[in-house]
Amino acid sequence: MANNNSSIEPAGVRHVEAGTSMEGDTGNEEESSLPEEEESDSSDDEPRFITPGYDEFKKDLGCRLPPDVIMQLASLLGYQCDVTDDLHYDEEDVGHVMVTKMEEAGDIRPRSIWDLTRSLQSLDYNGLAETIESSYDSMVSKKREYIGNTKIFIDGLKHVYREMLVDQPTVCFNSVKQNTTDVFVIGSLERMETTESEMEPEVWTRVDSHEEMFEPLYHRIIVEGEPGYGKTTTSVQLVHEWCREEHSEVDILVFLRLRDVGKLSLYQAIRLFALPKDCRLTEAEIYQIMSSRSLRVVFILDGYDEYTNLTKESDFVKLIYMRILDKARVIITTRAHYMDDIAVKGVTRMRFAGFDEELQMRYVAKAFGSGQANFEKLTESFLEKTILVDMCQVPFFFAHFTQIMLKDPNIPNLRTVTGYMKYLVDSCFSSKLSGEDVPRVQEEDVIKFAKVAFESLKADHRHYIWDLEAFRKAIGHECCDRFTRAGILVQTKRRVKFFHSFFQEFLAALYMLHLTKSGNQILLENSLDAFRPKERKHMFLFGCGLSKDVATTVINFFLPHETYILTMKFCLLDVRRNTPPLLDAVRRICDKYLSIYIFESRLVHRASINVLRIATKNKILVQRIWMIETFGTADPITGDIVLKNGIELPRVTTVRQVVIGTERGRELKLGEWTGLLKYAAFSKKIENLNVYWCLLPFSTPPREIPTALKSKSFTVRWGTLLVLEHQLELYSGKWQGKLNKIDMTNAEYEQEVVKFRERFKQMKWKRPLDELSDGFARLLKKTNPYE
């Protein structure tokens, strides 16, 4: 690719099947890309749009600016000499001369007169600034009228998007005729904010609306979320709103699913996937439009984790790193932690946190009407099924199982995620949900299908979309058609893909089971190195849930690798037998520390609880339990701990250290604090209890401190930040300096309280049980008497 200022017309579109390898390519993708952009502005060959009313506003503005104001403005804005010269020759029209100068300098534009009004205000002409702003608002249309190739391009995008939006089903069941845009409810969305504090460099805050992704101040946004959390659904919703002209701040929106584009260049992908087949625009013309500095361009690149051409020559990598189209804004969706190391100036990070009960209720109201009545019925059914409650934090599972439950309320109470995933797949073939009785597929064809799924998830051979005819030959026409009728596969005229990656990973797990059953366990063991466990954790989870033999193979594969510990913990959730490899895995997990983070899902929290139960039952030492913003409350009588999401922490008798980082700014009541001390006393191995980011009571009544803690070498430390400055004297219940061992005085404590409340006055948090939903509160009443 030539790296110069000349405009190079891109090569013609190669109409290849997206997602397939391009045999015969030389590997030099640079020839099909456009030149990297220089810092200078791209010149437009033609106007891109007109703004109705703007010319009339300029004439009005010229009449409103008095000569004395013009001279002061000219001086402030830095072009006094030019205006003075023009004033000498054209005194009667100096206002319009000034308007022309301001437009040439960019101080007024069709979309903004902010620079002008701010300048007037700085000169104390507030009334004039207000009058001009009112005139602008009344005369200038906020909607641009596009012309020429720009209009053809935008109209083409909207035509393709509208066709796409017609068929965006909420669930895979063919009998359910609901579009995602009709029942859209965004999952909990948070934005990461950096702070000046070394102790707390990053803070996540709730985002009010998905529309914030279009905020002009965000140049590159990485939106993370676990599978099924709504990344693609939210992207499609933004496209839907743009087509309905709800986002006037965006001129051009380019939406591309990265799993589709394969090795195509950016402009080839736009031509192939975002424009009508008969669109006459060339790639060079598209390049000119996209390079225009006057247009506000936004890309949504969906599924970075599914992109198969992660090379520095890739146009999409260049776009993300601002090496091309650096003025365009880019929204990238991806699985959690897939882009942790990306180093792009000004990148903003957001993440999906799933459905809480309020969002679930809103979804039910949109999808089924009579939200409260239907939701209460569903809640009662869900609460009896612990794992299903955890799974339904994931919007994908909630949407599917609400449909199943309304058709058939008698869902069995299964003990594993894998069990419910298998139940979901079986439900796809039932007449109640598919709309027809789909015949079962022959086992040998299922194995062929499962093998394709298994091979396609290997790191170096990832496939998410296939040529339809080649796929049907590989797994059998009948098998392909039946899985399509069941909704698990989605076909177009030429291509086929899974409805969701959960189905792909479940089929891959079935192939793991087949290899084990057929005596090819060695082949399975040798194949696992080809996968990235963090990306395929659901495949490994399903495999462990399908067979103890698969679980043994997977655990033995994970054990030697330090980086696989978190994935291994997740997979143990569905292992139901205490085999020697499982106990070895639990020892490995507990050997360092077991963390329970706020940003983790309920299923991951359940996996941590599962490990703690196994460790306690088998007397395995747990070095540390670390709760980060997940502590809900502790019963002052029994000492039992409930996490913020309603999951009860087991009484761990073998833990050495308990560490709790609460929400910043939280103030624990005496009952919660003494409950924590009683929880620590359950362990025969306990040595430390550390609590930080919160305010604790001035003193603890000695009678509330368990005798078991006083009779052993046990320390309690507390700090309002990460530094644990105070230590509890167990016999007096007084706080002392960690180093000087002198009791804290009332005055010192009051000073600590003032500093604490001032530091965290902006932090908002609710008492944990207040923010638990009614459904979970009912669940807690069975196990937790403290409210």
Side-chain angles (χ1 to χ4, degrees):
M1 178 177 63
N3 190 6
N4 52 45
N5 292 325
S6 61
S7 177
I8 299 178
E9 183 170 342
V13 178
R14 290 175 289 174
H15 290 276
V16 298
E17 261 330 302
T20 60
S21 62
M22 296 170 60
E23 299 296 337
D25 278 1
T26 62
N28 183 7
E29 290 298 318
E30 298 184 22
E31 295 179 359
S32 64
S33 302
L34 292 169
E36 296 183 14
E37 295 184 16
E38 304 295 329
E39 288 299 317
S40 59
D41 286 353
S42 301
S43 60
D44 282 325
D45 294 332
E46 57 175 279
R48 298 294 173 194
F49 57 89
I50 58 175
T51 304
Y54 180 60
D55 289 338
E56 290 76 5
F57 165 73
K58 289 191 293 182
K59 292 177 184 177
D60 180 75
L61 177 61
C63 297
R64 290 183 185 275
L65 292 174
D68 58 329
V69 174
I70 289 173
M71 299 305 293
Q72 294 177 62
L73 268 178
S75 175
L76 180 65
L77 296 173
Y79 37 85
Q80 183 177 15
C81 294
D82 291 340
V83 175
T84 304
D85 293 342
D86 287 325
L87 178 62
H88 178 73
Y89 294 107
D90 199 355
E91 293 185 10
E92 294 183 358
D93 203 26
V94 67
H96 298 103
V97 171
M98 182 62 177
V99 169
T100 301
K101 295 293 182 185
M102 287 191 291
E103 187 174 33
E104 290 173 352
D107 292 314
I108 61 169
R109 301 180 299 281
R111 292 297 298 167
S112 174
I113 58 167
W114 186 77
D115 289 334
L116 170 61
T117 55
R118 183 186 61 171
S119 299
L120 288 170
Q121 289 165 354
S122 70
L123 295 171
D124 292 329
Y125 291 112
N126 296 315
L128 179 59
E130 188 174 334
T131 301
I132 290 173
E133 190 168 8
S134 177
S135 172
Y136 173 80
D137 289 339
S138 64
M139 297 178 71
V140 180
S141 170
K142 299 300 182 290
K143 178 181 175 183
R144 291 178 169 182
E145 292 183 5
Y146 304 99
I147 58 178
N149 282 347
T150 304
K151 184 178 188 318
I152 294 171
F153 183 60
I154 292 173
D155 288 347
L157 290 173
K158 290 185 176 180
H159 175 78
V160 170
Y161 295 160
R162 285 174 180 135
E163 285 191 344
M164 172 192 76
L165 290 165
V166 169
D167 187 24
Q168 291 292 317
T170 310
V171 293
C172 68
F173 307 130
N174 289 325
S175 66
V176 179
K177 305 301 181 185
Q178 282 181 343
N179 225 345
T180 55
T181 54
D182 297 328
V183 297
F184 174 75
V185 174
I186 188 172
S188 178
L189 184 63
E190 299 172 339
R191 180 185 63 251
M192 188 181 78
E193 296 179 352
T194 55
T195 70
E196 297 179 358
S197 169
E198 294 182 3
M199 295 291 188
E200 307 160 53
E202 300 172 358
V203 176
W204 289 89
T205 59
R206 186 81 172 257
V207 173
D208 293 332
S209 170
H210 63 286
E211 296 177 8
E212 190 169 319
M213 294 182 192
F214 277 165
E215 280 289 333
L217 87 126
Y218 302 141
H219 204 55
R220 293 290 185 275
I221 302 178
I222 297 173
V223 186
E224 298 181 340
E226 293 291 338
Y229 269 51
K231 302 182 295 295
T232 299
T233 300
T234 303
S235 300
V236 169
Q237 179 67 18
L238 288 170
V239 171
H240 171 65
E241 292 168 357
W242 181 73
C243 287
R244 294 174 56 179
E245 301 184 355
E246 295 179 21
H247 295 287
S248 60
E249 71 276 21
V250 177
D251 292 314
I252 294 174
L253 178 62
V254 177
F255 170 69
L256 293 168
R257 289 185 171 98
L258 290 180
R259 71 180 182 187
D260 292 348
V261 303
K263 293 184 178 181
L264 298 176
S265 74
L266 173 63
Y267 299 95
Q268 289 172 340
I270 292 172
R271 284 280 292 116
L272 189 59
F273 297 115
L275 289 174
K277 301 298 182 188
D278 59 354
C279 181
R280 67 170 178 79
L281 295 178
T282 65
E283 290 173 26
E285 289 171 327
I286 295 171
Y287 167 67
Q288 281 191 331
I289 295 168
M290 303 295 284
S291 302
S292 171
R293 302 296 193 184
S294 62
L295 293 172
R296 296 151 306 175
V297 179
V298 175
F299 285 89
I300 298 179
L301 305 181
D302 183 45
Y304 182 83
D305 54 290
E306 297 180 335
Y307 185 43
T308 57
N309 188 30
L310 291 173
T311 63
K312 64 180 181 180
E313 291 81 17
S314 159
D315 280 358
F316 294 94
V317 173
K318 291 176 183 177
L319 177 64
I320 292 169
Y321 281 88
M322 296 191 290
R323 287 162 53 198
I324 60 173
L325 300 177
D326 60 312
K327 298 301 181 185
R329 286 181 279 139
V330 183
I331 300 167
I332 311 122
T333 73
T334 182
R335 292 193 182 195
H337 309 302
Y338 201 88
M339 299 180 72
D340 283 351
D341 298 328
I342 188 170
V344 179
K345 183 180 179 181
V347 69
T348 300
R349 291 187 179 271
M350 295 185 180
R351 70 185 183 198
F352 284 104
F355 267 3
D356 57 24
E357 192 165 327
E358 177 187 348
L359 296 174
Q360 290 174 349
M361 186 180 295
R362 285 168 54 192
Y363 176 85
V364 169
K366 277 194 169 186
F368 310 111
S370 304
Q372 185 67 36
N374 272 324
F375 189 73
E376 287 181 358
K377 176 183 174 184
L378 289 168
T379 301
E380 291 297 332
S381 300
F382 281 155
L383 288 177
E384 299 170 0
K385 304 167 179 64
T386 304
I387 287 294
L388 190 55
V389 170
D390 299 337
M391 290 175 67
C392 284
Q393 181 192 16
V394 182
F396 171 87
F397 287 125
F398 184 76
H400 281 80
F401 277 101
T402 50
Q403 291 288 352
I404 294 173
M405 198 164 284
L406 289 172
K407 301 271 186 178
D408 181 10
N410 299 315
I411 293 181
N413 188 3
L414 304 174
R415 299 176 61 195
T416 65
V417 178
T418 306
Y420 280 114
M421 187 66 203
K422 184 177 183 300
Y423 187 85
L424 172 57
V425 171
D426 290 340
S427 297
C428 292
F429 287 86
S430 73
S431 59
K432 290 181 180 179
L433 292 158
S434 68
E436 59 175 318
D437 277 319
V438 181
R440 292 290 170 174
V441 182
Q442 295 293 325
E443 184 177 354
E444 59 185 35
D445 288 335
V446 173
I447 291 170
K448 291 178 186 176
F449 187 20
K451 182 178 181 181
V452 170
F454 182 78
E455 295 294 335
S456 68
L457 293 175
K458 291 181 176 178
D460 295 333
H461 302 89
R462 290 182 297 163
H463 278 71
Y464 303 101
I465 194 163
W466 292 265
D467 173 78
L468 178 58
E469 286 307 312
F471 191 81
R472 293 177 75 177
K473 287 178 182 177
I475 73 169
H477 287 57
E478 190 176 79
C479 177
C480 182
D481 291 343
R482 288 182 181 179
F483 273 97
T484 302
R485 288 162 63 189
I488 292 171
L489 288 176
V490 178
Q491 292 186 25
T492 60
K493 290 181 179 179
R494 296 175 54 197
R495 298 183 299 159
V496 63
K497 61 185 178 181
F498 282 92
F499 181 86
H500 196 276
S501 62
F502 280 130
F503 292 118
Q504 190 172 358
E505 296 197 38
F506 183 74
L507 264 293
L510 287 179
Y511 190 67
M512 296 167 71
L513 174 63
H514 165 71
L515 290 177
T516 302
K517 279 187 172 181
S518 60
N520 288 312
Q521 199 153 336
I522 300 298
L523 178 59
L524 174 60
E525 292 171 3
N526 294 335
S527 299
L528 296 184
D529 275 325
F531 296 91
R532 294 183 182 134
K534 187 187 294 186
E535 296 175 27
R536 301 296 160 227
K537 67 179 185 180
H538 288 94
M539 181 190 79
F540 286 110
L541 172 71
F542 297 148
C544 290
L546 288 170
S547 162
K548 68 178 181 64
D549 294 326
V550 174
T552 297
T553 302
V554 168
I555 291 169
N556 286 333
F557 167 67
F558 284 152
L559 275 172
H561 302 280
E562 185 77 22
T563 55
Y564 296 168
I565 285 181
L566 293 179
T567 306
M568 180 168 66
K569 179 182 74 172
F570 183 69
C571 293
L572 296 186
L573 179 60
D574 277 9
V575 180
R576 309 314 302 175
R577 296 186 183 179
N578 287 357
T579 61
L582 178 134
L583 297 180
D584 288 341
V586 170
R587 289 188 188 95
R588 184 70 186 277
I589 294 166
C590 296
D591 190 48
K592 291 183 175 288
Y593 60 83
L594 191 141
S595 57
I596 306 175
Y597 288 96
I598 184 63
F599 59 79
E600 294 173 329
S601 69
R602 287 179 59 88
L603 281 176
V604 174
H605 287 176
R606 188 71 67 183
S608 298
I609 300 303
N610 178 56
V611 167
L612 292 175
R613 291 190 190 282
I614 295 171
T616 297
K617 184 177 179 180
N618 293 277
K619 299 181 180 179
I620 296 172
L621 179 66
V622 180
Q623 291 290 349
R624 181 191 302 167
I625 300 173
W626 196 346
M627 288 170 267
I628 300 121
E629 297 189 43
T630 51
F631 169 72
T633 189
D635 190 302
I637 299 171
T638 67
D640 290 318
I641 288 178
V642 177
L643 302 181
K644 285 176 66 178
N645 58 17
I647 296 176
E648 187 176 357
L649 203 67
R651 298 179 177 183
V652 183
T653 59
T654 56
V655 63
R656 181 171 285 170
Q657 185 182 50
V658 176
V659 180
I660 297 176
T662 67
E663 310 92 324
R664 280 82 159 172
R666 180 169 174 179
E667 299 182 21
L668 264 63
K669 292 184 175 180
L670 179 61
E672 294 173 308
W673 171 234
T674 57
L676 275 178
L677 291 171
K678 290 175 181 177
Y679 180 84
F682 291 142
S683 176
K684 299 174 182 177
K685 305 286 185 180
I686 194 70
E687 295 177 2
N688 302 101
L689 171 62
N690 297 336
V691 185
Y692 59 95
W693 278 337
C694 63
L695 192 65
L696 292 182
F698 170 60
S699 63
T700 307
R703 67 179 181 279
E704 296 292 341
I705 301 174
T707 305
L709 299 180
K710 300 175 183 177
S711 62
K712 59 178 70 175
S713 177
F714 173 73
T715 58
V716 181
R717 295 191 178 98
W718 159 55
T720 56
L721 296 174
L722 284 173
V723 179
L724 303 175
E725 303 171 303
H726 313 293
Q727 184 167 314
L728 185 68
E729 208 294 312
L730 296 175
Y731 288 92
S732 68
K734 301 283 188 179
W735 291 108
Q736 298 179 338
K738 187 172 67 173
L739 298 178
N740 60 26
K741 305 298 182 184
I742 298 174
D743 288 353
M744 177 187 284
T745 65
N746 271 302
E748 289 171 335
Y749 181 76
E750 287 302 321
Q751 187 178 10
E752 187 83 35
V753 170
V754 171
K755 285 168 53 181
F756 176 84
R757 289 175 177 167
E758 177 63 26
R759 180 183 295 120
F760 294 113
K761 64 183 178 182
Q762 301 299 327
M763 298 294 181
K764 297 180 180 179
W765 64 278
K766 300 178 182 179
R767 300 207 59 74
L769 284 176
D770 291 341
E771 67 179 7
L772 291 175
S773 55
D774 290 340
F776 286 130
R778 289 196 298 274
L779 178 65
L780 288 181
K781 285 178 183 177
K782 302 176 184 178
T783 56
N784 179 37
Y786 179 66
E787 288 192 67

